[in-house]
Amino acid sequence: MHVTNIVNGVDVDRLAGTIEHISADPTLADFQFRAHNRWIDGGHNRTTIKGFYGAGQEDASRTEPFVLDADEPPLLLGQNKGPNAGEYLLQALAACLTGTIVYHAAARGIVLDGLECTIEGEADLQGFLGLDETVRPGFQQIRVAFEATGDFDDDQLAELAQLASYSPVRDTVSNPVPVAIEVVRA
Amino acid sequence: MHVTNIVNGVDVDRLAGTIEHISADPTLADFQFRAHNRWIDGGHNRTTIKGFYGAGQEDASRTEPFVLDADEPPLLLGQNKGPNAGEYLLQALAACLTGTIVYHAAARGIVLDGLECTIEGEADLQGFLGLDETVRPGFQQIRVAFEATGDFDDDQLAELAQLASYSPVRDTVSNPVPVAIEVVRA
């Protein structure tokens, strides 16, 4: 009889299998994620996300693209047709920390009932506007406050915060990533 | 007679007014953006985004929150209920670069007809899984390829790529941002 071993909604047997496959062939760990963005008007633009490369092949699991609109609020000369890019960055970081904690907790047998967080990012618009070259355009600091419930002791509670170090977006935001940008005529 | 001065869908008179106000009182440039994330199950979690602080007050322009679902594809033990966090990060960066180029081009009188980009990010899953401590969990590199159309000469085309330096999310990804994370019991 095969008993499926699900912890926190994560199939830990499949997770262990993934780790085993990658340990045997590390090239399976190479992933490329992608998005396509099209400007619509003013602060409004639209992104589509569908395919990616991973585990040695193009993924074909998504039959339709995800479509995401970004815009600015009226205060920043937009029309609120979507969150703005800074808010999407915070969403990416919050979602990544949540997923990372859930998966790694599952692998360690830490059972969660609930996990919520509020994320806040501080920015000084003088950087974006180019009014003061000593002010960075990006976030100056970001704070994430999680509340967790579940069947864990105080040592495991402390462990949950440590698991954040495995988060890909946390690493991407905390440490430098090279970004190459080119603009050509269509 | 008042003639509204719109370039690239951006009201450049209002943009100039914003710059004037902030130059007179730089505290108006302090912004705080926020998101709230709630884990649902496995790789699936949901973010709501509504209020923010800026220009000296809480913004009240959004009557309903934006709701964004994140999940993993089946290959990464999810059910494709949304893009994953790494894809949201790429979307945030693409949207920010697009908006930044559009706004700064408008301020310089560079008229765009179209702006599209494809963004690609490379990651090695060994970092996320903790299989090799020399491999970072985050993106190792990101490439953004823009195609622009409009009424601009070659010098202005080259200028468009330079404008990316003002992008808040580009700065957030390219350079370190302190991220403080706490986990407490609910």
Side-chain angles (χ1 to χ4, degrees), chain A residues 7-185:
Chain A
V7 181
N8 302 333
V10 178
D11 186 331
V12 292
D13 291 338
R14 278 194 61 205
L15 183 56
T18 300
I19 289 170
E20 198 176 314
H21 289 133
I22 289 176
S23 297
D25 180 1
T27 67
L28 295 175
D30 292 336
F31 275 66
Q32 183 190 74
F33 294 104
R34 308 170 194 130
H36 186 84
N37 182 279
R38 186 171 59 83
W39 173 50
I40 296 176
D41 198 27
H44 185 202
N45 58 75
R46 183 169 291 158
T47 292
T48 51
I49 294 168
K50 191 176 174 193
F52 66 90
Y53 177 89
Q57 59 188 344
E58 277 293 310
D59 184 78
S61 65
R62 296 158 173 175
T63 52
E64 296 294 327
F66 298 113
V67 180
L68 301 166
D69 278 33
D71 195 6
E72 297 292 345
L75 179 63
L76 298 172
L77 314 182
Q79 299 178 341
N80 269 335
K81 292 183 178 174
N84 75 9
E87 291 170 321
Y88 270 115
L89 184 283
L90 296 179
Q91 130 73 359
L93 179 52
C96 193
L97 289 168
T98 298
T100 300
I101 291 172
V102 166
Y103 275 48
H104 277 268
R108 286 160 179 74
I110 303 176
V111 178
L112 297 166
D113 287 333
L115 190 63
E116 294 196 32
C117 72
T118 297
I119 183 167
E120 300 173 340
E122 318 285 341
D124 182 335
L125 211 62
Q126 293 180 95
F128 168 74
L129 291 170
L131 297 179
D132 183 342
E133 66 183 20
T134 68
V135 175
R136 67 182 300 174
F139 282 116
Q140 297 180 317
Q141 57 175 330
I142 295 174
R143 287 181 303 279
V144 195
F146 275 99
E147 291 191 337
T149 54
D151 183 20
F152 48 77
D153 62 26
D154 286 353
D155 286 346
Q156 290 173 317
L157 176 65
E159 204 176 342
L160 292 178
Q162 300 303 318
L163 299 179
S165 65
Y166 294 108
S167 161
V169 176
R170 188 209 60 83
D171 175 35
T172 299
V173 171
S174 299
N175 300 303
V177 175
V179 179
I181 300 163
E182 65 161 23
V183 184
V184 301
R185 287 185 197 274

Side-chain angles (χ1 to χ4, degrees), chain B residues 92-114:
Chain B
L93 178 52
C96 193
L97 288 167
T98 298
T100 300
I101 291 172
V102 166
Y103 274 48
H104 276 268
R108 287 159 177 74
I110 302 176
V111 177
L112 296 165
D113 287 333

Side-chain angles (χ1 to χ4, degrees), chain B residues 42-113:
Chain B
H44 184 203
N45 59 73
R46 183 168 292 156
T47 292
T48 51
I49 294 168
K50 190 176 174 193
F52 66 88
Y53 177 89
Q57 59 188 344
E58 278 293 310
D59 184 78
S61 65
R62 296 158 172 176
T63 52
E64 296 294 327
F66 298 114
V67 179
L68 301 167
D69 278 34
D71 195 5
E72 296 293 345
L75 180 64
L76 297 172
L77 313 183
Q79 300 179 351
N80 269 336
K81 292 184 178 173
N84 76 7
E87 292 170 321
Y88 270 115
L89 185 282
L90 296 179
Q91 130 73 359
L93 178 52
C96 193
L97 288 167
T98 298
T100 300
I101 291 172
V102 166
Y103 274 48
H104 276 268
R108 287 159 177 74
I110 302 176
V111 177
L112 296 165
D113 287 333

